[in-house]
Amino acid sequence: MRTENQIVLPGGRRISYAEFGDPDGTPVLYFHGSPSSRMEPLLIGHETLTRLGLRVIAPDRPGMGGSDFVPRRRFIDWPADVVALADALRLDRFALLGNSGGAPYVAACAATIPDRLLAAVIVSGGWRMDWPEATASLPFPNRLTLLLARRAPILLRAILATMGGIAQGAREKELAQLRRRVPPPDYDALAAPGRLEAFGQTMREALRQGTRGAAWELGLYVRDFGFRLDEIRMPLTLFHGEQDTNAPIAMVRRAVAQMPTARLVTYPDESHLSTLCNHMDAIAGGLRQ
């Protein structure tokens, strides 16, 4: 990791962010998954991002990491924070990269601030997780999480609190448990040297303030987004693994059908996390378009 910092908005609210990669490279604002944190680009690696000529700036979303919680926020509120961060960093134009739960945040920016964007890219994106195309294929723990997000957020917070223990035990034991829970491509990605530890660090930071921010955000994926996907008029590139069980490909195809300018690139042998880890060269190409 190159640097960590925060900005303070006029009302006093803080947004924390971390920077990775080449400080003179293409500026990319990275929107992490849900729940996750500004540490998520560690899964890609500072060296890889530097080689690709990307200056990656990853902000924590409200209530996660070091960014202050915002009551009753929506996806459509995020572009204002993005503009404030970009202005503070003196970025006139910049690319966006959203991973997993970062997808609607990229879409909201593409719909509302296209004049500030060089490119918009989504990897393994999650959309309306209550669409039948999502629920038909989601594993039971994911379906339970989303049900609780809608109906019993207090119970969801209790479950989320256990996620801070990821990668705290013996590495081989943790990997053995993962092998039983995730598709083989994701297991292989997490088994790479240092990646499981980076994932654990990312999740612990996501829950540093507690679980309120993460629980509120998960509820956003089963409610109206506050904008329509067909409002997007700029090019949008999506990369997705066809073996993804966290964000089923049928759900993604439904979302793409609503975005006239979207282009979907699929990988038959990839899953949720592995697409990001294994195809950064192609993803970087999309960011430079």
Side-chain angles (χ1 to χ4, degrees):
M1 183 172 57
R2 195 169 69 83
T3 60
E4 283 199 71
N5 213 327
Q6 67 177 210
I7 65 167
V8 180
L9 301 177
R13 179 163 59 88
R14 298 168 298 172
I15 298 175
S16 292
Y17 65 94
E19 291 199 37
F20 307 83
D22 180 358
D24 299 316
T26 302
V28 178
L29 293 190
Y30 180 102
F31 300 162
H32 59 70
S34 184
S36 190
S37 72
R38 68 189 183 283
M39 312 304 289
E40 190 174 285
L42 290 173
L43 298 173
I44 304 167
H46 176 74
E47 296 77 11
T48 296
L49 295 171
T50 301
R51 173 180 64 80
L52 293 169
L54 303 178
R55 177 192 177 189
V56 170
I57 302 148
D60 286 323
R61 290 197 291 274
M64 286 172 275
S67 293
D68 292 334
F69 181 75
V70 178
R72 308 197 68 78
R73 70 175 177 90
R74 303 173 301 162
F75 290 131
I76 198 61
D77 299 323
W78 181 242
D81 285 0
V82 170
V83 169
L85 176 59
D87 288 348
L89 295 172
R90 300 182 179 179
L91 300 176
D92 180 32
R93 300 186 73 207
F94 46 89
L96 298 182
L97 173 56
N99 180 53
S100 185
Y105 293 96
V106 170
C109 291
T112 58
I113 57 167
D115 55 311
R116 298 294 298 267
L117 304 183
L118 297 169
V121 173
I122 292 168
V123 181
S124 304
W127 300 93
R128 279 295 296 261
M129 302 307 295
D130 55 349
W131 280 346
E133 292 87 347
T135 57
S137 302
L138 284 175
F140 173 75
N142 300 58
R143 284 186 280 119
L144 176 61
T145 294
L146 293 164
L147 177 65
L148 295 177
R150 179 187 285 276
R151 299 185 181 177
I154 296 298
L155 291 178
L156 174 61
R157 291 181 63 177
I159 292 175
L160 289 172
T162 67
M163 298 179 69
I166 293 173
Q168 293 282 71
R171 174 180 170 80
E172 293 308 315
K173 182 178 179 181
E174 296 245 1
L175 286 173
Q177 293 172 346
L178 276 172
R179 190 187 289 275
R180 295 192 294 269
R181 297 202 303 262
V182 303
D186 282 349
Y187 172 82
D188 291 341
L190 285 166
R195 194 166 279 145
L196 178 63
E197 292 74 16
F199 183 61
Q201 183 179 355
T202 298
M203 294 307 302
R204 287 190 295 277
E205 189 61 24
L207 302 173
R208 173 154 64 101
Q209 299 183 49
T211 57
R212 180 173 59 161
W216 176 260
E217 177 166 276
L218 284 168
L220 299 180
Y221 299 90
V222 292
R223 297 186 177 95
D224 182 79
F225 281 7
F227 68 98
R228 298 192 319 274
L229 296 181
D230 63 8
E231 294 174 37
I232 298 170
R233 289 292 178 263
M234 67 170 290
L236 189 66
T237 305
L238 296 86
F239 296 88
H240 212 92
E242 294 183 17
Q243 295 186 38
D244 194 331
T245 55
N246 284 12
I249 189 66
M251 172 195 64
V252 177
R253 290 196 169 107
R254 175 171 173 175
V256 167
Q258 298 178 38
M259 297 182 285
T261 57
R263 178 175 71 98
L264 176 62
V265 179
T266 63
Y267 298 100
D269 299 323
E270 300 292 2
S271 189
H272 194 66
L273 178 63
S274 68
T275 301
L276 179 73
C277 295
N278 295 337
H279 297 281
M280 267 309 300
D281 284 62
I283 293 164
L287 292 166
R288 295 196 198 94
Q289 289 181 358

